[in-house]
Amino acid sequence: MDAFRDVPEFFEVEIGESLLARTETLASFRELGPPDLCHVIKSPGRAGQKDIGSYHYVSGVDASSSASLAAYLNSLTYALDESLAWFSKSNAWKVRSGCYCCFNAFSRVDVRVDVKIPGGVNTYVVDLRGERHEATAEIWQETYLSAVLRAILYADDVNYRLAGYRKLDPITTPEGELRFLQAAEALFMKGWQLGSDPEIQVASVVSNHLTSGILKYFGDSFRFGQAVNLFEKLYARDPEVASLLAQSYIGMNEEVKAVQIMASALRENPQSYTLLHVQCDFLRSKGKTEWAAQLARQAVNCAPSEFATWAKLTEVYIDMGMFDSALLTLNSCPMFTYNERDLHRMPTPSRTHLPIKQFIVDSNVLEDDGVKENDADIALLRLPAPGLRGTFARAYTLLARLVAKIGWDELLKTRSLVFVMEEEYRAQKAAAALENNANIPHGKGPVIMEDGTVREPVDEFDPQLDGMTPRRFDAASADDDASIRAINSPRQHTSSPPTSAVSGTNGSALTPKSGSGPIPIIKVSSESDVEREHEELSKEGIHLNGQNSPSGEDAASKGDEEEENVQEITIGAAAVQALEKPVAAAANQDDGEGVSATSPRPDSRRPASEGFSFSHKRLCERWLDNLFMVLYEDLRIWTIFRAEVAHYKTQHVAYRKTGSEWEILGELGLRLHHKEEAKEAFLRCLDSKFSAKAWMRLLEMYAEEGDLQRSLNAAIRLTAYQHRWYQESSYPTAIANHLFKLGRVHGHAKISYTILSMGLPDGLLNIMQGYLNYGKTFK
């Protein structure tokens, strides 16, 4: 056969088109870059057949030299499927050549190794313009570290899903780990060039993908000793590294040393917000929330443009029970547009080869995957919260934590106390207009319409006079009763007298032209009036809830369409009515920003004579207003779900959902901090189908509870699932992290003996032993 045995492949239409597509997209890679690309050309054993080209993605291959990359290409020659008869061996396909591409995220170049089999090895560097250069020792060191960081950070990244992506262990020996530490130390000061997490606005020496990779690699296995040794050396060169050093000491339970490091570093650099955050988290863990709040406020003053500082202060306020301050602080968070991960843009392959290893097929662990019906209710599929990314996802998490603390009704009351509501704004505006009108002689004041808008008097031409003499149109002559208003339209040249009609002209006064006077036309308010008024308010800087919302993170517009689903659900309707839906709120007219908020009506209708003032209130940002609607949609669906469950229990009837619906409800429960209900939903999901997401959530819960048997049961299924999709690495993965967490409670020996006692097939036993072998190797 022309395909590899256990390696995914995408076959090209034209040989080399994947390499050309990668070269064209090099300039679009912003941060760590895409996974490595391995391209091979195969030749048939018989004459008359054409060569074919195929490629796959891979990470975890040692990229420290051209020899190691050539060795991986050579290993693929043994992966060709030669399960043919003895007499047809001569006609088997063979790998003729290959090209391995590895992106250097520091120098923004692509290092490529061409291998001819048999033949030589050619190494070169391709820059963003597609030009070739020679690879130097410095380029190789940067390429090696870039490859290791991609293997570490992309191992469990939920936002990085790529078909045909083979993941191998990046570090398998203590010598390999030492080489990683040496490269990290040499290139540490260049780490900011790699970019940072989406919540960080500006990457720095201590906030970038390099430091994130180091902390993830050593933190997931709770081996902070190696990280401390590295940061101790770097701390002597840059005092800013004190935050990483103190964080590592805390991970080692060396709190006294961590406090000493933080104290001395803060005296030298009191403006480091990362160091303030480490000390703030330490104080929160000790219950000193008031001291933590002071540090969090100081961090905001040091870095007011960073989202992380405002989010940290919001968390501290929630811990202290200062929910109004938490809401105001959350409203002040600077939000950033989420940038997607670096990905290839490849042409459509002629065919795809995604083989399954035989021992996974024989284990029958994944036999239920996709067997039963996976359809889900459209209302569940269209929930907007799962689509949030970056700072918006983090802000939603804080808002969900708030509602879990105080409830939805209390949250709405709190935000109505701290934010300006629309009806308050309209009442205040109308009161100010009436006060000004009281000081103007009768017939000269502005006209206050029924919607609260104020219009200046305009000159109209009286048709009963000579048609040229202007007549003042003021409050006395304006008919603003019973939602009927007078607007101006051009004079109609007819002999008939003017009559009442419904016109489609806008509400703005038209400037009269010489020789023609306007005829007043009476217009009854309708839905078109409301739309026109909204447009006028938008021109004045007032945007109602849901208008002109950002397309990237605004999922609130889906709420109106999903509202119809409530009418179709009879069970739990009363519970949904008890959940008050947010309504429109006010915006800033002076600043010209359409910043709206949502709040209940009751407290906002207060007489203007009470001397109400906006001096103690803020304007709600539009993105936060949208998040309130997103949260409302989650709460609405969850309320319906729990009401239906309660109803079916009272009727002693089984409550049935599809596997996909249970999975979505489990994720919804976790977002809203209903852990036990979420666990029940995930278990019901697994009764209907195999779900890797449900198993991963349950593994996390079981590991926190210390349930060894159930954790291993989940880990076995997840490991088989990941190997089926070519994630062959044992560490660093989420499964390894949870197993090491259990090892700190039960011990690795108990875990090993428990796995042996489960009677697993040899294939599954070997891949589970991979986690334990890593623990033995790196102790």
Side-chain angles (χ1 to χ4, degrees):
M1 293 180 63
D2 58 355
F4 292 127
R5 196 166 36 250
D6 296 324
V7 179
E9 280 187 284
F10 300 97
F11 290 88
E12 298 176 312
V13 177
E14 297 182 3
I15 296 179
E17 63 181 7
S18 61
L19 297 176
L20 180 61
R22 182 180 174 97
T23 303
E24 292 175 349
T25 56
L26 284 178
S28 65
F29 301 152
R30 302 177 180 178
E31 296 185 344
L32 284 178
D36 301 347
L37 177 68
C38 182
H39 176 266
V40 295
I41 299 177
K42 304 172 189 174
S43 297
R46 66 180 67 178
Q49 286 185 331
K50 294 182 179 180
D51 295 347
I52 59 173
S54 66
Y55 62 92
H56 65 272
Y57 310 109
V58 63
S59 63
V61 179
D62 183 7
S64 58
S65 65
S66 59
S68 59
L69 297 182
Y72 176 78
L73 287 170
N74 186 63
S75 68
L76 296 178
T77 61
Y78 303 100
L80 278 173
D81 194 351
E82 297 180 353
S83 57
L84 302 175
W86 61 272
F87 54 82
S88 60
K89 282 279 187 178
S90 60
N91 297 329
W93 290 78
K94 295 181 180 180
V95 176
R96 180 169 63 86
S97 64
C99 180
Y100 193 98
C101 308
C102 186
F103 185 71
N104 183 336
F106 290 91
S107 300
R108 322 304 297 172
V109 296
D110 205 32
V111 178
R112 300 186 180 180
V113 177
D114 284 340
V115 178
K116 306 295 183 181
I117 303 175
V121 177
N122 181 28
T123 304
Y124 56 93
V125 174
V126 178
D127 61 15
L128 301 182
R129 296 184 298 273
E131 300 175 357
R132 294 192 177 190
H133 305 275
E134 184 179 355
T136 62
E138 183 181 0
I139 289 292
W140 274 115
Q141 187 180 49
E142 294 175 350
T143 304
Y144 164 74
L145 188 57
S146 300
V148 173
L149 290 177
R150 280 193 294 269
I152 293 173
L153 296 177
Y154 291 172
D156 294 301
D157 192 347
V158 295
N159 298 322
Y160 203 97
R161 299 294 184 186
L162 192 62
Y165 183 10
R166 190 183 186 193
K167 300 178 182 180
L168 305 176
D169 285 311
I171 301 173
T172 57
T173 62
E175 292 77 15
E177 183 176 281
L178 180 60
R179 184 164 63 247
F180 168 61
L181 290 171
Q182 292 173 348
E185 181 181 358
L187 299 173
F188 188 83
M189 296 306 168
K190 293 183 178 180
W192 61 270
Q193 300 176 8
L194 301 177
S196 60
D197 293 334
E199 298 175 5
I200 305 298
Q201 170 74 348
V202 180
S204 63
V205 176
V206 295
S207 300
N208 54 66
H209 287 310
L210 176 56
T211 57
S212 298
I214 295 172
L215 292 176
K216 175 180 171 59
Y217 178 79
F218 293 106
D220 283 1
S221 57
F222 306 99
R223 298 187 304 114
F224 285 99
Q226 298 289 345
V228 165
N229 295 334
L230 172 64
F231 294 142
E232 283 281 8
K233 300 175 184 178
L234 297 170
Y235 179 50
R237 296 162 51 184
D238 189 352
E240 188 77 12
V241 186
S243 59
L244 302 174
L245 180 58
Q247 190 174 348
S248 301
Y249 270 127
I250 293 175
M252 293 177 61
N253 292 324
E254 296 285 349
E255 296 180 348
V256 175
K257 291 183 180 179
V259 171
Q260 293 173 349
I261 291 292
M262 289 187 290
S264 60
L266 282 175
R267 282 193 293 267
E268 297 177 5
N269 187 13
Q271 299 299 316
S272 173
Y273 80 89
T274 55
L275 191 59
L276 291 170
H277 278 184
V278 174
Q279 190 170 5
C280 176
D281 290 336
F282 177 73
L283 290 173
R284 289 174 61 195
S285 66
K286 302 300 180 182
K288 302 294 184 180
T289 54
E290 294 183 359
W291 294 356
Q294 296 179 10
L295 292 172
R297 283 191 288 265
Q298 185 177 349
V300 169
N301 294 331
C302 295
S305 62
E306 287 290 344
F307 172 86
T309 57
W310 293 94
K312 184 70 68 177
L313 183 57
T314 303
E315 291 178 353
V316 175
Y317 279 144
I318 294 176
D319 294 339
M320 298 175 64
M322 301 172 61
F323 305 117
D324 52 349
S325 299
L327 206 53
L328 287 172
T329 306
L330 181 61
N331 185 64
S332 302
C333 288
M335 308 303 288
F336 317 132
T337 302
Y338 178 76
N339 295 322
E340 297 292 340
R341 299 292 191 188
D342 295 330
L343 288 171
H344 293 91
R345 291 194 295 269
M346 290 296 182
T348 304
S350 60
R351 59 191 175 96
T352 301
H353 176 62
L354 300 175
I356 306 177
K357 294 183 178 180
Q358 188 60 40
F359 76 89
I360 295 179
V361 176
D362 296 339
S363 66
N364 295 326
V365 174
L366 309 178
E367 62 179 356
D368 293 334
D369 188 13
V371 174
K372 297 187 178 180
E373 185 180 1
N374 294 329
D375 293 337
D377 185 6
I378 189 64
L380 294 175
L381 293 174
R382 295 178 61 185
L383 281 176
L388 297 175
R389 295 288 183 270
T391 53
F392 295 91
R394 177 72 184 282
Y396 175 85
T397 302
L398 295 174
L399 197 60
R401 187 181 171 198
L402 262 175
V403 78
K405 287 275 188 179
I406 62 178
W408 176 248
D409 293 337
E410 190 64 28
L411 179 61
L412 289 183
K413 291 179 182 178
T414 302
R415 70 177 304 282
S416 66
L417 294 176
V418 298
F419 295 132
V420 179
M421 299 296 104
E422 180 187 4
E423 294 187 2
E424 293 173 342
Y425 175 81
R426 289 183 178 275
Q428 183 76 0
K429 183 177 179 181
L434 286 174
E435 183 178 355
N436 294 334
N437 190 33
N439 300 326
I440 300 177
H442 181 71
K444 302 296 182 180
V447 180
I448 303 175
M449 312 306 274
E450 80 277 9
D451 59 354
T453 58
V454 181
R455 299 184 182 177
E456 296 296 330
V458 296
D459 291 334
E460 290 187 353
F461 291 87
D462 193 347
Q464 296 180 357
L465 300 177
D466 56 359
M468 299 295 293
T469 304
R471 175 175 60 86
R472 193 72 176 176
F473 177 72
D474 52 23
S477 60
D479 185 3
D480 195 40
D481 190 19
S483 298
I484 298 178
R485 69 189 64 178
I487 64 173
N488 297 326
S489 67
R491 167 175 289 183
Q492 301 175 356
H493 297 281
T494 58
S495 57
S496 59
T499 57
S500 300
V502 178
S503 173
T505 58
N506 57 29
S508 59
L510 300 178
T511 304
K513 297 182 180 180
S514 177
S516 63
I519 300 176
I521 297 177
I522 305 301
K523 184 176 184 298
V524 180
S525 296
S526 62
E527 292 183 0
S528 60
D529 280 342
V530 177
E531 296 176 358
R532 177 173 53 77
E533 291 167 10
H534 288 181
E535 293 178 359
E536 293 175 357
L537 291 175
S538 299
K539 294 179 181 178
E540 297 177 2
I542 306 172
H543 299 269
L544 298 183
N545 181 32
Q547 292 183 351
N548 299 330
S549 54
S551 59
E553 279 71 24
D554 177 18
S557 59
K558 300 180 181 179
D560 294 336
E561 298 176 5
E562 295 176 3
E563 193 80 55
E564 299 176 359
N565 296 327
V566 181
Q567 299 177 359
E568 300 175 1
I569 302 175
T570 57
I571 302 174
V576 176
Q577 293 177 359
L579 184 68
E580 185 174 5
K581 182 177 180 179
V583 293
N588 187 2
Q589 182 179 1
D590 298 333
D591 295 340
E593 290 182 275
V595 181
S596 60
T598 55
S599 77
R601 294 177 178 270
D603 295 336
S604 59
R605 292 186 177 179
R606 62 179 70 188
S609 59
E610 294 183 5
F612 176 76
S613 174
F614 294 143
S615 60
H616 65 289
K617 288 196 173 189
R618 304 280 183 86
L619 293 170
C620 183
E621 295 288 345
R622 185 183 296 129
W623 63 263
L624 182 56
D625 183 51
N626 295 332
L627 286 186
F628 266 91
M629 292 301 301
V630 172
L631 180 60
Y632 169 77
E633 284 301 312
D634 277 357
L635 289 171
R636 182 177 67 86
I637 296 298
W638 184 257
T639 303
I640 294 173
F641 164 63
R642 297 310 302 172
E644 289 179 344
V645 170
H647 174 77
Y648 276 77
K649 282 185 178 180
T650 58
Q651 300 296 324
H652 302 286
V653 179
Y655 184 62
R656 300 187 182 279
K657 291 278 187 182
T658 65
S660 297
E661 288 176 339
W662 283 117
E663 179 182 304
I664 296 173
L665 290 170
E667 291 290 330
L668 177 59
L670 286 183
R671 286 200 302 271
L672 299 178
H673 300 275
H674 298 289
K675 185 176 179 180
E676 293 302 322
E677 292 86 348
K679 181 192 290 189
E680 180 185 357
F682 287 132
L683 290 173
R684 297 288 295 273
C685 167
L686 296 176
D687 291 338
S688 302
K689 70 166 189 173
F690 177 88
S691 170
K693 183 182 294 185
W695 276 119
M696 183 62 72
R697 295 298 190 184
L698 289 174
L699 173 59
E700 181 180 351
M701 296 177 187
Y702 293 149
E704 291 178 357
E705 298 169 359
D707 193 332
L708 179 60
Q709 190 66 40
R710 292 180 178 175
S711 297
L712 290 178
N713 187 32
I716 291 170
R717 283 160 172 77
L718 284 171
T719 302
Y721 175 82
Q722 291 184 351
H723 273 255
R724 186 268 173 267
W725 295 110
Y726 318 109
Q727 186 171 343
E728 303 171 22
S729 61
S730 299
Y731 187 84
T733 59
I735 300 174
N737 174 242
H738 295 313
L739 290 179
F740 292 153
K741 191 182 299 182
L742 289 170
R744 303 182 75 188
V745 178
H746 300 281
H748 287 270
K750 183 177 180 180
I751 295 177
S752 178
Y753 294 140
T754 305
I755 292 176
L756 289 174
S757 67
M758 298 176 73
L760 299 175
D762 292 340
L764 291 180
L765 182 61
N766 291 334
I767 61 178
M768 288 302 297
Q769 289 290 348
Y771 301 112
L772 301 177
N773 293 336
Y774 179 88
K776 294 177 182 178
T777 303
F778 294 95
K779 289 183 180 180

